[in-house]
Amino acid sequence: MKPAILVTRKLPDAVEARLRRDYDARLNPGDILYSGDEIIERAKDVDAILPCHTEKFSAEVIARLPGRVRAIANFSVGYDHVDLQAAKARGIIVTNTPEVLSDATAELTLMLMLGAARRAGEGERLVRTGAWKDWSPGFMVGTQVTGKRLGILGFGRVGQVVARRARGFDMEIHYHDLRRMAPEREEGATYHPTPEELMPHCDFLTLHCVSSPETFRLLNAGRIALLPDGAIVVNASRGAVVDDDALIAALKSGKLTAAGLDVYQNEPDIHPEYRRLPNVFLMPHIGSATKETREAMGFRALDNLDAIFSGREPRDRVV
Ligand code: 8YV
């Protein structure tokens, strides 16, 4: 008998075709957002769940999952939506989908940098609403990206691809991570042992760290104060790594010129002040949203399930 898999969201056709071929797939063709209770109800006769970051597996939800559920094979690299300790305590395997989304997320990061620096949101709104009436040398003047210093907080897979792409703009790369990378990964980037030491070197700062209790509000008022005046901050990792009130205050005071954000605390009910600030370039959590990457994420999640149900160690086991 094929293992039964609860798939919580509508996935690309090619991924669902493979799911149907190899598993007893419980799909969600209407792409309805399930609550914790609905997941528990739908999981009662399945062997594994293939969720997205939109489904929250709190300790309470995991405790109530039926005993038959052996794995949570995420369609995401991030796993902050899953209480790992609770999963471990119940012997539930948790996997993610690293690597396959690094290029797409790095592209979006560069877009946030360019969009924030060159005022893409303001410009688009002017043209679209018909408010564009004039031109002058001082009109819509932004910040040049080329040749600036880029600070990368979290120099993992995505951070390293961002560095490579940013070198195309002749940017000087600085980074902080828990440990220094080998020279072939650094590719000339300058390591800073603490976030505090990184901050003064960032004309642009981009965040690519894992969201965890240790990184909660990592970018706070104290660290923003250490950035050069007029710096630009972008975030395509998780909203929880930024203190919204501190970022908003710095965008209002002029300490920061602009920000580009793809992720937020409490998405999609973001801090309302972001919508009112003209100097924030806002995207709706689409870092990995390309056709190629969505399929690759689905196949990677399926590779992990295939390993689990054939008694092999899944490549991307988190717990
Ligand atoms: C996904 C992401 O779109 O993979 C992640 O961690 O944040 C995004 O790339 C989303 O999580 C899919 O579940």
Side-chain angles (χ1 to χ4, degrees), residues 52-53 75-78 101 238 285 288 294 297:
C52 293
H53 81 283
F75 181 92
S76 66
V77 66
L101 42 64
R238 283 290 183 269
H285 198 147
S288 61
R294 285 283 179 259
M297 290 167 74

Side-chain angles (χ1 to χ4, degrees), residues 60-71:
E60 195 249 328
V61 169
I62 288 179
R64 291 171 57 211
L65 284 178
R68 186 171 154 184
V69 175
R70 286 179 54 194

Side-chain angles (χ1 to χ4, degrees), residues 124-157:
E124 215 261 354
R125 284 190 294 278
L126 272 179
V127 179
R128 188 175 291 281
T129 60
W132 178 34
K133 301 288 181 212
D134 195 8
W135 184 94
S136 77
F139 174 61
M140 286 281 303
V141 170
T143 304
Q144 191 139 319
V145 173
T146 301
K148 296 288 169 61
R149 296 170 299 174
L150 172 62
I152 302 179
L153 196 42
F155 204 62
R157 298 178 189 91

